[in-house]
Amino acid sequence: MAQKKSFSLDDLAKAHGIERKVEEKKEDYSKYEPKKYKERNNFTPKSFNSTLFTYPFNFVSLGDKVEKEERKLGKNSGKIECSLINYTPIFTGGEKSKSGKHTTEQFLEDRENYIISASTLKGEIRNIIETITHSCIRCKNEEIVPEEFKPCDNLKRLCFACRLFGTTVEKADENGNSAYSGRVYFSDAKLPKAKVGTSLTPLKPTMTPNEKLKKYYLDKSGRMRGRKFYWHHENLLSNKNNKLPYKREGFKPKDSVTIVQLIKSLKTFSFKVEFKKLTDIELGMLIYALELEKDLLHKIGRGKALGLGSCKISIDSFELFEESRYNFSSFTPNRKVEDKNIYLEKIKNRYLENNSQVKQLRVILNEKNKLDFSKGAYLRRDSNKGNMPEILSYK
Ligand SMILES: [Zn+2]
């Protein structure tokens, strides 16, 4: 008669090839208690705690004041041809289709090309120029914008961006004018479809942080923190925690899912920017905002928090048209190829050196940073929202 074996759950599990789960330790909530706040305020990147500070965005401070002047026309008209390379996958929304409760969004396209729209490009470039030149702020939460940064309302006193990109004011001047049109015209950026790989990627419904929450936009004293920019980081979609098992058999998500058509990394889009009657400083600013600096990237399209849309823009050609007979046809004999550095030099002293906003842009737009987004890039349910470190603390 066989001896009766004693057994434990561990043995039973082993016999069936099951790994027993050791009960997870309950989280120690005392670490969220107010007495620890002081520690978090002494934030340095070296003691960086990714569970507390992986906000996908931060704010470039507003600067002192909006510098307002009357618009003056310059002598520079011409054309800049650019290429845009996406360092991370990119998505700009085109056609939507619904199947059941799920929505699929295609990348914006025409017959032959994938497209980043002219307005998307212009919005990005205007945003950079607004930040550097302390221009006015047009946003949905207008009530949180400090008085001196409210949208321009007088054509005789316009901020840099309104002078360059145009604006509409409520009250007409003595000549009946209530608007200036912009003097910078973007084309769509195009990427020929042939040979381009795209992938349909489902996004978790909870992936959009509720950024409307005003508390993220205000500092502890209730003042607007500044203009929002997203950190660059590698595409978080490669992290399985952020991906839905959409194609796995038996996958039945409870919530509706948005599936987007992403363009894979390192594709080259082309676009051009035409401009009319810019001053030397305005042209310098436009050139700077397009190319930025070494290691600084734009963020374009949707899914910025996920790491999508980090892009480098380079100027391939820069031509000025002769003043009296400028003509936007590329066959005009009056064009001359110019050295863009002449114009960059003109904005250097006044706008790029000792400009606190440029210093902050150099940190947050840098393709390299010390943040760790490996666990996600969403706003966390910590009680520390008022203590978001300033951008320069991450330097
Ligand atoms: Zn303005």
Side-chain angles (χ1 to χ4, degrees), residues 358-375:
V358 172
K359 283 180 194 157
Q360 292 170 61
L361 284 176
R362 282 178 183 141
V363 176
I364 197 161
L365 298 183
N366 206 298
E367 63 176 290
K368 301 180 194 96
N369 61 53
K370 293 172 177 167
L371 283 90
D372 175 11
F373 288 103
S374 60
K375 288 177 184 149

Side-chain angles (χ1 to χ4, degrees), residues 16-81:
H16 288 85
I18 299 165
E19 206 175 304
R20 275 195 79 204
K21 254 195 184 165
V22 179
E23 200 184 328
E24 274 176 37
K25 253 191 168 174
K26 288 239 169 71
E27 189 171 16
D28 174 13
Y29 287 97
S30 67
K31 70 186 174 193
Y32 295 117
E33 279 167 20
K35 61 180 178 185
K36 299 270 179 179
Y37 280 5
K38 212 175 161 197
E39 253 173 61
R40 292 183 198 162
N41 286 338
N42 292 337
F43 170 84
T44 60
K46 277 174 198 157
S47 62
F48 172 62
N49 180 341
S50 65
T51 62
L52 289 174
F53 290 122
T54 45
Y55 295 103
F57 55 78
N58 207 313
F59 296 87
V60 172
S61 63
L62 295 177
D64 290 337
K65 62 173 194 326
V66 180
E67 296 148 356
K68 291 186 172 178
E69 294 169 20
E70 198 167 352
R71 186 179 78 159
K72 290 187 192 75
L73 297 178
K75 293 178 176 174
N76 302 303
S77 302
K79 182 173 79 174
I80 300 172
E81 295 199 31

Side-chain angles (χ1 to χ4, degrees), residues 66 68 126 130 135-138 149-153 157-163 166-167:
V66 180
K68 291 186 172 178
R126 179 169 185 158
E130 285 175 348
S135 285
C136 71
I137 298 172
R138 301 153 305 146
F149 288 94
K150 295 260 196 242
C152 298
D153 60 359
R157 291 188 66 251
L158 294 176
C159 70
F160 193 105
C162 287
R163 298 197 298 268
T167 193

